[in-house]
Amino acid sequence: MVIMTSLASLSSAIAQTRHYEWNSLPFGGAGFVSGVITCQQEAGVVYARTDVGGAYRWDAAEEAWLPMTDFLGADKVGLMGVESMSIDPSAPNRVYMYCGTSYWNGGLSAILLSEDYGNTFSQIATVTRQFPAHGNDYGRQSGERLAVCPVGGQLLLCGSRTRGLWKSENGGKTWKRTAASTFVNDRKISFVQFIDSADVVAGLLYKGGENLFVSSDGGATWNAIEGACTDYMPHRCRISPDGQTLYVAYSDSEGPGTNGSGALMMLDLASGKWTDISPQKASFGDISVACDNPQHLMAVSMGLWWGQYWTSASTTWGDQIWVSKNGGKTWTNLMESGRSTYSESRIKWLTSGCQLHWCGSAQMDPHDSNRAWFTSGNGIVTTKNLWASKPRFQMCVTGLEETVPLNIVSVTGAPLAVTIGDYDGCLYADVTQYYKRFSPSMGSTSAFAVAARSVKMMLRGAGDLYLSQNGGTSWVKKTKPMADKGISSCALSAEANILVARPSGSKPYYSLDRGATWKELTSSPSGTNIFADPVNDRVFYGMNGNTFYIHIYDPESDTFTTKTHSVSGVTGRMCVVDGMAGEVWLPRGSSGVTHLSGCDTGTPTVKNIAMSSCTCIGAGAAKEADGYPSLYIWGRKTVSQTMGLYRSDDMGNTWQRINDDMHQFGGPGNAQIVSGDMNEYGRVYMSTVGRGVICGSYVADVETGMEYWPATSQGNAIYDLQGHRVTTMQPKHIYIVDGKKVVFK
C-alpha cells in the first residue's frame, strides 16, 4: 500500500537536491603526531594532537580518528598547531587545548574548550600576549604542558615555551603568571602533571641544572625535586595508578631529533628514592604503566635510528619499544628480531613496513593494557595485544591525514595527482582509496605536470627530475637543467613534445628531446613558474610580479616568442582551464579575479571581475556537457559574505558558497591551491596547512541513509522517470511526488 498526502493524476519530476560532503584524501598519516591523550576516568575517550594539522578524537567503533579542528578559518589557521591537550578528570566530556603557531596569524595563541568530547569548541581565552604557543617548534612532542586539577575542574596550569608557568582559577577563562622566579623566561616547560588536587610536578626542557619541580599548593610555590637527573632533559612523566611512583623519560635534547642519550628514571614518592630503570643507554620519549598491573611498564625511545626487525619484508630504522613485567628490573625490546610483527593491509605505501620514528608519546589504554598507541613522524602505530608473546603492530591513521599538500593536478581523462611535503604524493584513480606513494622517492615534491592531450605523460621534480610515459606506473630519471639545483616547478606541453623545468632560484629551461638536453627560456624572468596551454602544444604561460607572460615556441627558428601583459596584484598561482585553448584565470586578492581569454594567440582579451577577496582559483568539470568549466575560489564576492570556498557555474558572474562554518580547515594554507575535478562536476580539492588535501564531493541529499528520487503519478500509481511502476521502496530511495515524500509499507 502507498501512504501519502495526495496524488495528482500526473506530476512533474522534482529535481534531486544535493549537498557537499567533506573528507581528506586518504594518503595514510604521513605527518608528525605529537601526542596521544587518554582518559583514566572514562573508557574510549582518546585524543591525538598534531604539530600543524589540528586535533582528533578516537572513534573506537569505527577504528578511526575524527577531526575536531576543521571549524578553524584562515584567520585562525595557526590554532591548527596544537601545543597541548588536557581532559578534565572531574568531567571527562570537557577537553582543553592550548594552540598556536608562531608564524601564522601574528602568533595567535588561545585556550580552546569543548564540553561535548570535542564535537564543538569555544575559544575561552586568547593568550598571545601572555604565553604564546608554537605547536610546530622543537620539543613539541613533550608534555602535556596543560593540566587540569582532578577536583573541581576550575584550577588549570599551563607551561609555556617563553613566559614560564601560568595559572587559571576559573576554568581557563583568565590567566595569571605564577612562580616566575622558578619558571623563568625562555626556558621551555616540558610538562605539568597533577598528582592529586594539591600536588603537582613540572619539568623543564633544560639540562645542566634543576629541571624537575614539585608543588604542594596547587602550583603557587615550587621546590626542585632532590636527586633528580640534571644530565638530560625531562620530556614526559607518568604517575603510577596508585599515585606512589613517578616515572620520567629523559633525553639529551629537545627533540624530536636527539643525539641518542638519556635515561628512564623512577621516583618512590614516599621515600624520595630515585632508581635508574633504563633498558639501555638511549634517549627516551615516554613511559606508560599498565592499568591492571603496576609492574607492567612500556617505554619508547625518541630520535633513535636503530634497526626495527618487526617485519620480514624489510628492515626499517627508527625508535624502539621496550616492555617490562617486573617494574623495570628487566626489559624486552620488541623491535628485535622475532619479538613482534608488523602487518598493514590498507595503506599501500606502508604495507611492507613502517618506520616508527620521533616517538615522543606512547600510551597504554588505561582501560585495556593490551591496547597501546605510539606517535610517529608518519602518523600513529598501534597494537591490540601488547602483552602477547609476539605482539602485532599496525598503522592507526584512518581519518587522520596530516600531509602538507604542495600540488594538486586534475586533468580530463587522468587520475588526480597530488604531491606533498616529505612523502612525495601519489595518483588517485579513486579518491576514497589508499595508493602507493610515488617511487622512486624524492621526499617533498612540489613540481608536477600532466600533458593535457597525452595524459600518460607525467613529469615530477624536486631534488631530482622524473618522467613517466605510462601514466605513473614507472618513472625514468632525467638530467636536470642545472645539476646542483633542485626543481621548483615543471610543465609539459599539451602533447608532451616540450618539457619545461625551473631549477630553484633560476629561469625556466625547456627540452625538446624529453629531458636529454635543456635550453634556458631566456625571455622568462628568474623564479617564474611556467604553465602549459592544454590545447596548443607550443604555448606556455607565466606570471612574475605584475607581468603575465605568453611564450610561443617557433620550431623553425627553435626559439620562443614572448609577449607580455600587465596584471597587477596577483596573489597566487594561475588557473589554466583544462580542455580549452587560451583560457586563464588569475586570483588578485581584494582586486578580485582576472579572466584572460585567447591567450594562445598572444593577444588575450582581459576581463576583471570584482570580488571582496580571492586568494586562489581553480577550474573543474562543467555542470553541462557542453558548458564552460566550473570555477572554484577561496575568498568571497562581497565583504558581507563569509570567507570560504565558492563555486561559479557561469564564468564568475555569480558565486555560491559550498563549505560551511564547521568545514573551513584553516583555509588553503601554505600552497594556496583550490582545484576542481576535471572528471566529475562539483568535486573540489583544497590544500591546507597540515590537514591533507581536502576533498569536497557533491552528493545527493540523504535522510537516514536514503536518497531522494523524483517520480510521477498517474491515478493511484507512481512511476519513476524511466516509466517503471514503483510498488516497493528501492534500497536507499525515497520518492518525491508533488513535493510530498512517498513512503511504502
Side-chain angles (χ1 to χ4, degrees), residues 408-439:
I408 303 171
V409 180
S410 180
V411 175
T412 305
L416 177 72
V418 171
T419 64
I420 61 176
D422 297 327
Y423 292 94
D424 298 287
C426 64
L427 296 173
Y428 288 92
D430 182 338
V431 297
T432 68
Q433 301 298 312
Y434 292 103
Y435 290 94
K436 291 183 178 180
R437 61 191 277 199
F438 292 125
S439 180

Side-chain angles (χ1 to χ4, degrees), residues 15 75 94 114 116 123 152 193 195 200 245 287 306 316 331 344 359 391 512 524 559 568 585 598 603 608 618 641 679:
D75 60 337
R94 293 167 61 88
S114 172
D116 54 11
Q123 184 173 322
Q193 174 68 60
I195 300 173
V200 198
T245 308
I287 183 170
W306 295 358
T316 53
W331 296 83
E344 175 58 51
C359 189
L512 304 177
S524 181
T559 59
S568 63
W585 294 78
T603 56
N608 294 318
Q641 293 176 317
N679 297 288

Side-chain angles (χ1 to χ4, degrees), residues 405-407 418-425 438 441-448 460-463 487:
L406 301 177
N407 219 321
V418 171
T419 64
I420 61 176
D422 297 327
Y423 292 94
D424 298 287
F438 292 125
S441 171
M442 293 186 291
S444 296
T445 304
S446 58
F448 197 93
R460 62 185 176 97
I487 304 300

Side-chain angles (χ1 to χ4, degrees), residues 300-382:
V300 293
S301 68
M302 181 181 68
L304 297 186
W305 297 100
W306 295 358
Q308 299 170 331
Y309 303 100
W310 55 357
T311 172
S312 58
S314 62
T315 300
T316 53
W317 304 89
D319 282 316
Q320 309 294 292
I321 301 171
W322 293 273
V323 292
S324 173
K325 294 184 178 181
N326 54 15
K329 295 181 178 67
T330 60
W331 296 83
T332 298
N333 187 342
L334 297 181
M335 290 301 191
E336 292 178 350
S337 180
R339 298 291 190 181
S340 63
T341 62
Y342 169 87
S343 177
E344 175 58 51
S345 60
R346 297 185 63 204
I347 302 172
K348 304 303 182 185
W349 66 281
L350 291 171
T351 54
S352 61
C354 170
Q355 187 182 57
L356 175 68
H357 64 286
W358 293 354
C359 189
S361 176
Q363 304 282 320
M364 271 189 281
D365 190 322
H367 305 274
D368 177 6
S369 63
N370 270 301
R371 185 65 185 259
W373 293 272
F374 306 84
T375 64
S376 178
N378 56 4
I380 296 176
V381 174
T382 191

Side-chain angles (χ1 to χ4, degrees), residues 91-349:
N93 57 294
R94 293 167 61 88
V95 57
Y96 291 86
M97 296 196 298
Y98 170 42
C99 304
T101 310
S102 66
Y103 49 81
W104 288 111
N105 314 127
L108 173 67
S109 300
I111 303 294
L112 306 183
L113 169 64
S114 172
E115 300 189 84
D116 54 11
Y117 297 97
N119 289 320
T120 59
F121 279 91
S122 58
Q123 184 173 322
I124 60 173
T126 300
V127 297
T128 313
R129 295 183 180 274
Q130 295 173 290
F131 50 106
H134 189 11
N136 197 31
D137 196 6
Y138 291 108
R140 56 195 181 273
Q141 75 293 325
S142 299
E144 293 298 312
R145 294 175 168 90
L146 180 63
V148 184
C149 178
V151 178
Q154 291 300 296
L155 173 61
L156 279 73
L157 295 173
C158 190
S160 72
R161 295 175 172 274
T162 59
R163 296 292 308 285
L165 182 67
W166 292 72
K167 183 176 183 178
S168 173
E169 296 180 308
N170 57 6
K173 297 181 180 66
T174 60
W175 295 81
K176 292 182 179 180
R177 188 166 181 175
T178 184
S181 61
T182 300
F183 302 103
V184 299
N185 287 352
D186 300 319
R187 190 163 288 178
K188 299 176 183 177
I189 296 176
S190 52
F191 58 78
V192 180
Q193 174 68 60
F194 278 92
I195 300 173
D196 52 38
S197 60
D199 297 328
V200 198
V201 63
L204 295 177
L205 284 176
Y206 173 71
K207 61 183 178 181
E210 295 174 341
N211 56 23
L212 199 62
F213 301 86
V214 65
S215 172
S216 299
D217 53 12
T221 60
W222 295 80
N223 294 301
I225 298 179
E226 292 185 5
C229 172
T230 58
D231 293 334
Y232 305 112
M233 299 178 179
H235 274 266
R236 284 185 174 268
C237 76
R238 187 79 56 194
I239 305 295
S240 62
D242 60 8
Q244 300 301 307
T245 308
L246 171 69
Y247 299 90
V248 184
Y250 289 89
S251 182
D252 55 19
S253 58
E254 296 178 352
T258 69
N259 295 317
S261 296
L264 206 59
M265 303 297 295
M266 179 178 72
L267 173 65
D268 184 307
L269 292 172
S271 67
K273 179 184 177 181
W274 283 98
T275 304
D276 187 338
I277 59 170
S278 306
Q280 58 193 102
K281 185 177 177 59
S283 56
F284 292 94
D286 205 354
I287 183 170
S288 190
V289 186
C291 59
D292 53 355
N293 189 336
Q295 291 295 299
H296 283 196
L297 306 178
M298 177 189 76
V300 293
S301 68
M302 181 181 68
L304 297 186
W305 297 100
W306 295 358
Q308 299 170 331
Y309 303 100
W310 55 357
T311 172
S312 58
S314 62
T315 300
T316 53
W317 304 89
D319 282 316
Q320 309 294 292
I321 301 171
W322 293 273
V323 292
S324 173
K325 294 184 178 181
N326 54 15
K329 295 181 178 67
T330 60
W331 296 83
T332 298
N333 187 342
L334 297 181
M335 290 301 191
E336 292 178 350
S337 180
R339 298 291 190 181
S340 63
T341 62
Y342 169 87
S343 177
E344 175 58 51
S345 60
R346 297 185 63 204
I347 302 172
K348 304 303 182 185
W349 66 281

Side-chain angles (χ1 to χ4, degrees), residues 573-631:
R573 68 184 68 194
M574 72 177 67
C575 165
V576 179
V577 181
D578 184 45
M580 304 189 76
E583 289 290 304
V584 175
W585 294 78
L586 300 172
R588 299 176 58 224
S590 59
S591 298
V593 174
T594 292
H595 175 207
L596 299 97
S597 56
C599 294
D600 58 320
T601 66
T603 56
T605 299
V606 180
K607 178 183 178 181
N608 294 318
I609 299 175
M611 306 283 288
S612 171
S613 177
C614 176
T615 63
C616 45
I617 187 168
K623 184 176 183 179
E624 306 296 338
D626 57 351
Y628 194 91
S630 294
L631 300 172

Side-chain angles (χ1 to χ4, degrees), residues 411-412 450-455 492-498 531-541 551-552 576-584 598-601 629 678:
V411 175
T412 305
V450 179
R453 290 199 165 189
S454 182
V455 297
L492 279 169
S493 65
E495 297 175 17
N497 290 313
I498 305 175
F531 297 81
D533 187 276
V535 176
N536 194 318
D537 194 51
R538 300 176 183 175
V539 179
F540 296 85
Y541 310 115
H551 302 291
I552 303 175
V576 179
V577 181
D578 184 45
M580 304 189 76
E583 289 290 304
V584 175
C599 294
D600 58 320
T601 66
M678 291 306 304

